[in-house]
Amino acid sequence: MRDGHIHTPYCPHGTLDSLKEYVEKAIHVGYSTMTFTEHAPLPPSFVDPVPDKDSGMNAQDVEQYLKDLNGLKAEYEKDITIFAGFELDYISGYEKETEAFLTQYGPELDDGILSVHFLQGNSGWYCLDFSPDMFREAVLDFGGIEQMYEAYFRQVRASIETDLGPFKPSRIGHMTLIRKFHELFPSPSNWQQMAVEVLRSASDHHVELDYNGAGTQKPHCNETYPTKPIAEQAHAMGIPLVYGSDAHSASGLKQGYQQLSNVCR
Ligand SMILES: [Zn+2]
Ligand SMILES: [Zn+2]
């Protein structure tokens, strides 16, 4: 039982549950391997579009975060394998700063996730999973939901295809995150074709997919990222899927696990 996507008290929009609480809970629910993937600090020149500017961890805390994880690895060596990583944002136009971060800290990492949360519309940047209100603004700015979906899946493909150096994360985060509010803003009818293009790219570039349970707990989503049919297609194409709880609290570990497709577990 492996969970490859877990947040920590270093997350400014998460809970203050301690790292030990996460590890103890993980052992309790039967994990054998867990990766801590805190949101990496955003590129220094990128302006976080969310009101509290709390999408990424504080750059000053990175050293302590890695030190804490090294301590935990030693302390729990006999009980569970703990990997150190980040959930890194792929932000179009900020690749150089992203690669610089990886060059600096990559040698200390065991695993990691690359995600798209931010999209640039015609007049500004949006965090696509922040709130229904921000999502609505983004749809208007893109000139429609289909245009926004196209921009999103294009970004996810770019995240797979762009060279970010030798420490680039091996796994793509929640590849259908744009469906977080799909019960409020129905997806365009051709969205699955867009998702399948991502699968082709993932297969060609030998990346793994985060099979993320968090959406099952979101009131307007109620499904995993990716959805079951897309996950099964990925599996059939030989793309590795790694379960990710995306927990922002110790109690969030294993969330959505029961809803995963059996063939991909
Ligand atoms: Zn988060
Ligand atoms: Zn994420």
Side-chain angles (χ1 to χ4, degrees), residues 59-72:
Q60 297 95 281
D61 292 339
V62 168
E63 307 274 353
Q64 190 60 46
Y65 168 72
L66 294 170
K67 216 170 139 192
D68 285 0
L69 295 188
N70 279 328
L72 278 185

Side-chain angles (χ1 to χ4, degrees), residues 233-247:
Q233 188 158 347
H235 179 76
M237 290 166 73
I239 301 166
L241 292 138
V242 177
Y243 167 67
S245 64
D246 207 347

Side-chain angles (χ1 to χ4, degrees), residues 6-82:
I6 304 170
H7 292 275
T8 73
Y10 287 97
C11 178
H13 58 260
T15 65
L16 291 175
D17 288 359
S18 69
L19 289 167
K20 273 166 142 333
E21 285 174 274
Y22 279 91
V23 177
E24 300 279 348
K25 174 78 190 216
I27 294 166
H28 183 73
V29 298
Y31 285 11
S32 54
T33 305
M34 65 194 301
T35 304
F36 285 107
T37 51
E38 197 40 76
H39 295 283
L42 297 181
S45 72
F46 181 72
V47 179
D48 189 345
V50 315
D52 291 337
K53 317 255 174 261
D54 60 355
S55 297
M57 75 181 287
N58 221 309
Q60 297 95 281
D61 292 339
V62 168
E63 307 274 353
Q64 190 60 46
Y65 168 72
L66 294 170
K67 216 170 139 192
D68 285 0
L69 295 188
N70 279 328
L72 278 185
K73 285 184 198 182
E75 189 178 346
Y76 289 95
E77 191 179 28
K78 290 197 185 67
D79 307 301
I80 190 166
T81 302
I82 298 172

Side-chain angles (χ1 to χ4, degrees), residues 5 7 39 87 115 117 129 174 177 212 246:
H5 190 157
H7 292 275
H39 295 283
E87 179 181 15
S115 297
H117 302 99
D129 62 328
H174 40 58
L177 182 65
N212 190 303
D246 207 347

Side-chain angles (χ1 to χ4, degrees), residues 31 75 91 166 169 261-262:
Y31 285 11
E75 189 178 346
I91 309 177
S261 164
N262 283 321

Side-chain angles (χ1 to χ4, degrees), residues 173-180 182-183 191 210-218 220-232 241-246 254-262 264-265:
H174 40 58
M175 64 161 276
T176 57
L177 182 65
I178 194 159
R179 279 176 57 80
K180 181 170 179 181
H182 76 100
E183 292 177 355
W191 80 267
D210 171 40
Y211 193 5
N212 190 303
T216 64
Q217 307 302 308
K218 306 292 184 208
H220 309 297
C221 186
N222 295 306
E223 65 185 29
T224 55
Y225 313 120
T227 56
K228 200 177 269 190
I230 299 292
E232 289 179 352
L241 292 138
V242 177
Y243 167 67
S245 64
D246 207 347
K254 223 174 172 176
Q255 65 186 352
Y257 187 72
Q258 295 309 319
Q259 280 98 312
L260 303 186
S261 164
N262 283 321
C264 314
R265 262 194 222 166

